[in-house]
Amino acid sequence: MPASRRILVPLVAATALALGLAPPAFAGKTLDAVKARGEVICGVNTSGPGFSSTDSKGRWQGLDVDMCRAVAAAALGSGEKVKFVPLNSQQRFAALQSGEIDILSRNTTWTLTRDASLGIVFAGINYYDGQGFMVPKKLNIDSAKKLDGATVCVQAGTTSEKNVADYFLANNMKYKSVVFDTAEAIQSAFFAGRCQVYTTDMSDLAGARTQTSKPDDYTILPDIISKEPLGPAVRRGDDDWFEITRWTLNAMLEAEEAGLTQANVDKMKAESKDPAIQRLLGVSEDTGKLLGLDKEWAYRIVKQVGTYGESFERNMGPKSALGLPRGVNKLWNHGGLMYSPPVR
Amino acid sequence: MDPHAHVEPLPARTPPRSATGMSSWVRANFFGGPGNTVATILFGGLLAWALPPAFNWLAGNAVWHADYAACRALDHAGACWGFVTEKWRLILFGRYPYAEQWRPLAATAIVIAALVVTAIPAFWRRWLGWLWGAALAAFFVLMSGGVIGLTRVDTGLWGGLPLTVLLTLVGMGASIPIGILLALARRSELPLLRSMATLYIELVRGVPLITVLFTASFVFPLLLPQGMRLDVLTRVALGIVLFQAAYMAEVVRGGLQALPKGQYEAAGALGLSWWRTQQKVILPQALTLVIPSFVNSLLSTFMDTSLVTVVSMYDLTGALRLALGDPQWRNFFFEGYVFVALIYFTCCFAMSRYSHWLDHRLGRWTRH
Amino acid sequence: MPDPALAPHFLRTRRGRALIYQALALCALVAAGWFLWHNTAENLAARQIRSGFGFMRQPAGFDIGETLFAYSSRDTYLRAFAIGVANTLRVALLGIVLATVLGTLVGIGRLSRNLLARGLCTAYVEVMRNIPLIIQLFAWYLVITELLPAATEPLRIGPYVFLSKSGLQFPFPDLSGGWTLAVPEVGVFGITGGAAATPEFLSLLIGLTTFTAAYIAEIVRSGVLAVPRGQTEAAGALGLSRVLTLRLVLLPQALRIIVPPLTSQYLNLTKNSSLAVAIGYPDVVSIANTTINQNGQALECVLMIMTVYLAINLVTALAMGWYNRRVALVER
């Protein structure tokens, strides 16, 4: 037997064996798959300060990360039973469509095209944002209308790419676009000076500015040129999982509205006489049963992850590195847009 | 003529220029003619202008410790190798959990040892196959864990040099049998097989590897039955295998074409069936003929795996870009690229030198 | 005459077996094809992704940084793809020309008698061939964007040529109206007017050229070395200098040997230009990538890219085949 055949046969056999050890496939509903697997697979951003990023020890944190942990706490009992899969803007929808991830919680804008034609459906809005521009301070620009002729860095395949084209067309301005597929590549090009303008969601701009060694050299223009409602998305056709995701977000909002916090939820569960709180925390009624969960689903969310307000403050509030004001993301009864249907 | 007349010998002419020795070597290589001299002055001047500052930057003024302040103080007057000292584990092993990085190190070392053993023709015996089986099994066990007390590490976290090595070996290993089948089909007398094989080979050789990677990334999930899913690593490995198989088929076909018809005729005279002929007579000779080309294919597969960074897999190149994402160290990208380029260069240069040596060595046996 | 009663059954003859094998192969192929088709249709329906090429008539909605002809975000996807193809051809053709020139020079340099020239050219070839192209592209791109001056304070080469982070900008005839020369001038955001070779284009071109030139150098060198020694000796006997020998005797004969591998290097360069997606140059692969991301129709876009590359390959192979026949040995 020649040498090459002697190598070939065991090599091929070993390769086939290894490839055959790919993780088992699941036909059926997402909730069953998640329960059988024992963890929720969450698609997040490769680096989105405030939304999903890793700290120096490799632990994920952010608003979107908290969303996934909340779903895991509700469905599986613990917010730690999550596997995070970082995705760039090219892969995110394909990963969700193909079943590689269960939830896409990756500061993704909810648009008609995405809702209707990609086989996914948005479960809610966890951050109301808008698109803006960032320019170097030394160019002395104070308004987006003065950007005629600029070179603009934008990420491929995002709503930002389309919005900036529309904006410049509508205002009869010309620009040159420089397009990359990862946020890191764009930020690298912008901070190196390849382009003079960086455009993406305002929250992303704030996060990007924390990633440079000289944040004060850059200014974010006040103009907001589009609506960017960011929220988690799940696969179309799986209503149970959709409901769980939607009501997890709503529970976090309801909890904040009811005045609960991570610190006081145990006390409130034991002592509160407010019927709304009793219902939410599973003391008087079992709302979880209707979702396919147990009755303490909302209690676990608040206990392990916190309310929406706590999550916001922790990850992007005025005391965090991003320092964003709550703005339109306040609750409806404090002048913002966050309104949850009642959990009953 | 007076036999005793005194005959003056002609004066001796100057001896011709010596063609041996150091001075003539210098003359021939540097000052042979006017063009030669001009070239020496030009290139010599270029080297004298470029080399000392380059050496200074690379080694003289360089900072070797992971000292960010010192690097910034340098301000590009010297190389900041501190970036490499700080981030070499991220570059070499990707996002593999920090505490378990001895495992990819061991796995890569085992596989490289197996490669070195395979490279020595004295070891081309039957047990080489078993060695490879054991080496690959050890590789997968060490990398993914889950058995014998090792914690399980998901394939999504594999990266860096082990991922490059894995994709190269799987790409080569699985594409060789498929390539052999395709080559045999292409040379077959059955028109259907011949045309199908030719179509596949020409189609795949005509498109860039990036399109195949995009197909693996975006289209393969659509081709699988509902509910079945393959992880990204498997899909990309499959794409590389299908791509390399076409090139492998051409390599094997070259070997098959070099065999004289007499071999086929003699096998027929012995009464061997078609499959037996291939197994016992044709393929052993053909494959031995193209072993140097196999090594070249291995080399090109190794270089091609760097493309998987486009589909966001963190092989050696991708892990470098990950390391450069750190805003502190981002300015020292050049040192990072030099480090990774050095790794690739060492491996590829060694492989190409080996391929030459092997060609020379095998040529003595197979050339008529 | 062989006894017909003793003839084997048809299915046991060579022709019969050939028929069986081909029938089996056909069945297997059809079954596999049906299986894949069925899965794809099911998956597309489940994910509610449209299929068909109708999307090509929709407005693209995104802008492209470098266009050879006019394009705006309101134009169709088809026009966007055409721009992509034009960009690919632009970098491929320029790359082929420059790489051939550089490669021939380096190849001849490797044959030089001067040790410095020989050593430098060998070092160039070895280094360029053993480092993956994508790393070279990233390195060139970073060097160009980090080390060149900002667009607002460009390096001036002559009165009208500027070199900056926005690339190389130079005057170019303005073909839209009249025959005026569009001259670049420095404005608030950098340089407007004239034609530009962006850093993406420059780094892709330089990377592809230097990489492919190393392979072409090897081909040229082995081609020249393959010409029989007698030719060189005869030229020397005639008193031809080395340069004249190379030009009049060796290179023309070496062309025959060089052209087929040169063709495959040209095809490789064209295929390697698809790496543009990694550094942001809007070639056809990059635009298809954006399209897939916008509307999810991966199958159609991937098919289109493959068709484009196969067409380019076919044209190049045909052109080089014609040239090959021209330089082939005319046998008696």
Side-chain angles (χ1 to χ4, degrees):
Chain A
M1 229 186 167
S4 42
R5 296 274 296 288
R6 277 174 239 151
I7 303 169
L8 276 180
V9 170
L11 193 79
V12 171
T15 315
L17 193 68
L19 287 179
L21 288 174
F26 278 105
K29 298 294 186 167
T30 314
L31 184 57
D32 299 332
V34 162
K35 283 192 173 144
R37 198 189 304 132
E39 59 177 7
V40 173
I41 304 185
C42 184
V44 292
N45 209 329
T46 47
S47 92
F51 286 97
S52 51
S53 59
T54 41
D55 66 5
S56 52
K57 294 195 196 63
R59 185 171 164 77
W60 286 96
Q61 45 192 198
L63 195 71
D64 288 334
V65 165
D66 282 346
M67 177 74 218
C68 278
R69 289 205 201 278
V71 170
L76 296 175
S78 163
E80 298 303 314
K81 291 188 180 162
V82 192
K83 181 170 95 155
F84 294 102
V85 177
L87 300 164
N88 66 19
S89 63
Q90 310 287 54
Q91 310 159 302
R92 50 186 167 166
F93 299 123
L96 183 61
Q97 291 159 351
S98 69
E100 208 175 311
I101 56 177
D102 301 314
I103 305 181
L104 179 68
S105 187
R106 193 204 171 276
N107 53 326
T108 308
T109 312
W110 183 356
T111 66
L112 177 118
T113 323
R114 289 173 178 179
D115 223 11
S117 75
L118 286 181
I120 65 177
V121 64
F122 283 82
I125 300 174
N126 71 344
Y127 191 90
Y128 288 90
D129 206 352
Q131 185 175 338
F133 300 99
M134 179 155 67
V135 293
K137 229 177 229 167
K138 65 176 188 308
L139 286 180
N140 275 328
I141 309 276
D142 54 359
S143 150
K145 297 256 177 5
K146 298 198 187 135
L147 290 176
D148 195 2
T151 311
V152 179
C153 272
V154 69
Q155 199 171 353
T158 53
T159 49
S160 315
E161 201 180 0
K162 291 188 138 169
N163 290 334
V164 75
D166 290 343
Y167 181 75
F168 275 76
L169 253 181
N171 286 298
N172 272 326
M173 301 195 291
K174 291 217 176 313
Y175 72 107
K176 290 183 227 135
S177 71
V178 178
V179 167
F180 295 91
D181 53 355
T182 57
E184 293 95 1
I186 303 185
Q187 285 164 20
S188 175
F190 175 67
F191 292 124
R194 167 73 185 91
C195 40
Q196 292 103 17
V197 182
Y198 177 25
T199 179
T200 177
D201 304 339
M202 288 295 229
S203 52
D204 258 344
L205 290 176
R209 201 159 59 160
T210 63
Q211 300 283 68
T212 174
S213 41
K214 299 198 194 96
D216 295 321
D217 284 353
Y218 299 95
T219 167
I220 299 181
L221 297 179
D223 307 69
I224 297 186
I225 66 168
S226 74
K227 292 188 289 199
E228 303 286 329
L230 311 174
V234 295
R235 268 185 299 280
R236 183 175 278 275
D238 191 342
D239 291 332
D240 294 336
W241 189 243
F242 170 73
E243 294 294 340
I244 292 174
T245 313
R246 176 154 73 171
W247 285 101
T248 302
L249 178 58
N250 289 339
M252 289 172 78
L253 292 170
E254 277 282 280
E256 187 189 356
E257 210 180 302
L260 294 170
T261 64
Q262 237 176 339
N264 71 10
V265 67
D266 281 322
K267 184 154 117 27
M268 293 296 235
K269 181 169 183 229
E271 296 171 3
S272 171
K273 297 280 180 285
D274 185 348
I277 294 184
Q278 286 185 332
R279 204 173 10 240
L280 186 66
L281 297 179
V283 172
S284 60
E285 253 179 66
D286 184 0
T287 47
K289 192 170 59 198
L290 305 165
L291 290 172
L293 309 169
D294 65 291
K295 70 176 179 179
E296 299 209 324
W297 65 284
Y299 163 73
R300 283 197 296 270
I301 293 176
V302 183
K303 178 89 181 117
Q304 296 180 23
V305 179
T307 64
Y308 178 79
E310 289 182 300
S311 178
F312 190 100
E313 293 300 317
R314 186 168 54 219
N315 294 306
M316 42 185 35
K319 291 202 207 74
S320 71
L322 247 63
L324 290 173
R326 192 103 180 245
V328 294
N329 293 304
K330 292 197 189 104
L331 289 176
W332 62 279
N333 49 5
H334 293 291
L337 290 173
M338 286 297 183
Y339 187 115
S340 157
V343 179
R344 62 186 302 163
Chain B
M1 217 15 208
D2 184 354
H4 298 295
H6 185 60
V7 179
E8 284 286 332
L10 285 172
R13 286 195 293 180
T14 53
R17 261 199 202 153
S18 145
T20 57
M22 187 61 172
S23 66
S24 85
W25 178 87
V26 168
R27 207 173 17 246
N29 278 310
F30 294 105
F31 302 107
N36 212 337
T37 317
V38 167
T40 305
I41 296 175
L42 219 72
F43 287 119
L46 190 74
L47 283 175
W49 172 77
L51 273 187
F55 197 68
N56 222 1
W57 187 85
L58 278 174
N61 287 341
V63 168
W64 297 90
H65 303 292
D67 187 354
Y68 180 61
C71 277
R72 278 199 68 181
L74 262 187
D75 196 21
H76 291 296
C80 172
W81 298 115
F83 170 67
V84 174
T85 323
E86 168 88 10
K87 298 270 181 187
W88 69 274
R89 282 176 76 150
L90 178 59
I91 298 176
L92 282 183
F93 301 117
R95 287 178 305 148
Y96 209 87
Y98 200 77
E100 307 273 339
Q101 277 177 356
W102 63 269
R103 282 161 55 184
L105 185 66
T108 316
I110 291 177
V111 160
I112 292 183
L115 261 173
V116 170
V117 167
T118 315
I120 305 172
F123 289 136
W124 289 356
R125 301 259 178 282
R126 191 175 289 262
W127 51 263
L128 201 59
W130 297 110
L131 176 76
W132 269 108
L136 279 177
F139 183 89
F140 280 108
V141 162
L142 277 171
M143 288 292 285
S144 77
V147 293
I148 56 170
L150 299 168
T151 54
R152 192 165 161 79
V153 175
D154 197 66
T155 59
L157 291 176
W158 297 8
L161 193 58
L163 184 65
T164 303
V165 167
L166 172 69
L167 286 174
T168 311
L169 285 178
V170 168
M172 273 297 283
S175 67
I176 292 180
I178 303 179
I180 294 177
L181 287 174
L182 278 172
L184 290 174
R186 190 166 179 175
R187 282 174 54 85
S188 151
E189 296 161 343
L190 309 179
L192 180 76
L193 288 181
R194 196 167 54 234
S195 48
M196 290 281 110
T198 312
L199 192 68
Y200 177 82
I201 293 174
E202 292 306 324
L203 198 81
V204 173
R205 273 163 47 105
V207 295
L209 179 57
I210 288 231
T211 35
V212 174
L213 290 178
F214 275 6
T215 315
S217 197
F218 294 123
V219 175
F220 279 7
L222 293 175
L223 298 175
L224 297 171
Q226 281 238 308
M228 177 169 158
R229 61 177 189 83
L230 288 177
D231 65 321
V232 183
L233 180 61
T234 319
R235 290 204 303 265
V236 165
L238 197 61
I240 294 181
V241 164
L242 291 175
F243 184 75
Q244 274 302 115
Y247 288 84
M248 211 46 80
E250 285 298 281
V251 164
V252 172
R253 189 170 79 107
L256 289 172
Q257 276 178 318
L259 283 182
K261 259 192 85 107
Q263 297 290 315
Y264 292 90
E265 291 166 351
L270 282 174
L272 294 175
S273 74
W274 187 85
W275 280 109
R276 277 270 176 257
T277 318
Q278 301 301 327
Q279 185 196 346
K280 296 284 187 194
V281 178
I282 306 295
L283 281 180
Q285 295 184 61
L287 293 178
T288 322
L289 270 178
V290 298
I291 287 182
S293 302
F294 273 164
V295 180
N296 283 341
S297 291
L298 185 71
L299 181 60
S300 80
T301 313
F302 184 69
M303 300 231 296
D304 282 343
T305 55
S306 59
L307 260 67
V308 300
T309 177
V310 172
V311 286
S312 289
M313 288 189 68
Y314 297 107
D315 73 313
L316 201 51
T317 318
L320 173 66
R321 296 182 77 198
L322 201 64
L324 284 174
D326 188 340
Q328 256 198 341
W329 296 100
R330 187 183 284 147
N331 284 330
F332 305 110
F333 61 90
F334 198 68
E335 290 82 341
Y337 276 104
V338 168
F339 176 60
V340 168
L342 209 63
I343 298 178
Y344 274 113
F345 179 75
T346 321
C347 299
C348 295
F349 191 65
M351 276 193 261
S352 73
R353 286 289 109 198
Y354 172 71
S355 165
H356 280 155
W357 175 83
L358 197 64
D359 196 16
H360 183 68
R361 170 123 185 221
L362 289 179
R364 274 187 284 170
W365 302 341
T366 57
R367 268 183 225 131
H368 309 293
Chain C
M1 263 286 288
D3 185 353
L6 291 175
H9 187 270
F10 174 69
L11 288 178
R12 286 179 144 221
T13 60
R14 274 178 72 101
R15 280 184 55 217
R17 278 205 311 274
L19 232 72
I20 296 180
Y21 290 145
Q22 287 184 90
L24 280 174
L26 194 63
C27 283
L29 268 166
V30 167
W34 181 87
F35 177 67
L36 291 176
W37 178 253
H38 178 73
N39 288 342
T40 312
E42 251 189 13
N43 282 324
L44 286 178
R47 299 173 194 187
Q48 301 208 332
I49 299 174
R50 292 184 297 253
S51 51
F53 287 91
F55 74 93
M56 300 288 274
R57 273 173 292 194
Q58 306 284 340
F62 56 86
D63 224 326
I64 300 177
E66 297 189 54
T67 59
L68 263 187
F69 44 90
Y71 170 84
S72 92
S73 58
R74 278 186 297 221
D75 286 323
T76 57
Y77 277 110
L78 187 64
R79 201 176 170 88
F81 267 94
I83 297 264
V85 173
N87 281 341
T88 302
L89 287 175
R90 183 159 71 118
V91 78
L93 284 171
L94 260 178
I96 285 176
V97 166
L98 290 175
T100 313
V101 167
L102 182 62
T104 315
L105 287 173
V106 173
I108 294 174
R110 277 197 76 173
L111 298 167
S112 158
R113 269 192 304 201
N114 185 311
L115 183 66
L116 279 178
R118 213 166 50 228
L120 274 175
C121 291
T122 311
Y124 171 87
V125 167
E126 288 302 329
V127 165
M128 287 297 163
R129 269 160 48 119
N130 287 322
I131 299 178
L133 179 58
I134 202 165
I135 292 194
Q136 296 187 35
L137 285 179
F138 284 142
W140 281 115
Y141 187 68
L142 282 172
V143 160
I144 291 181
T145 49
E146 296 272 344
L147 296 184
L148 285 180
T152 40
E153 300 128 20
L155 197 64
R156 221 180 172 117
I157 307 172
Y160 295 122
V161 177
F162 297 98
L163 190 62
S164 72
K165 283 193 212 277
S166 306
L168 185 71
Q169 256 133 333
F170 46 90
F172 198 75
D174 185 6
L175 301 168
S176 57
W179 279 92
T180 55
L181 199 67
V183 160
E185 26 187 54
V186 186
V188 139
F189 281 113
I191 303 148
T192 47
T198 58
E200 289 82 31
F201 176 75
L202 279 176
S203 50
L204 188 63
L205 187 64
I206 296 177
L208 281 175
T209 305
T210 50
F211 184 74
T212 316
Y215 287 86
I216 293 182
E218 276 302 280
I219 293 172
V220 166
R221 186 182 82 111
S222 53
V224 168
L225 284 178
V227 176
R229 260 200 80 100
Q231 299 288 310
T232 322
E233 291 168 350
L238 282 175
L240 291 177
S241 72
R242 265 186 75 87
V243 173
L244 279 178
T245 315
L246 204 61
R247 190 159 71 90
L248 297 174
V249 175
L250 291 177
L251 273 181
Q253 296 187 67
L255 263 181
R256 268 177 222 123
I257 307 170
I258 289 175
V259 170
L262 202 64
T263 313
S264 71
Q265 283 309 317
Y266 288 168
L267 296 177
N268 276 349
L269 190 145
T270 315
K271 285 188 285 179
N272 283 338
S273 71
S274 62
L275 289 179
V277 71
I279 54 171
Y281 178 69
D283 78 323
V284 68
V285 171
S286 176
I287 290 181
N289 203 7
T290 310
T291 311
I292 293 180
N293 213 260
Q294 303 269 13
N295 59 18
Q297 297 198 247
L299 212 54
E300 287 84 357
C301 291
V302 166
L303 271 169
M304 284 184 56
I305 311 175
M306 289 188 169
T307 317
V308 165
Y309 276 104
L310 286 172
I312 298 179
N313 276 1
L314 198 66
V315 168
T316 313
L318 281 176
M320 294 300 285
W322 168 84
Y323 186 63
N324 198 14
R325 274 192 297 279
R326 266 192 55 168
V327 297
L329 268 174
V330 176
E331 303 274 320
R332 259 176 268 125

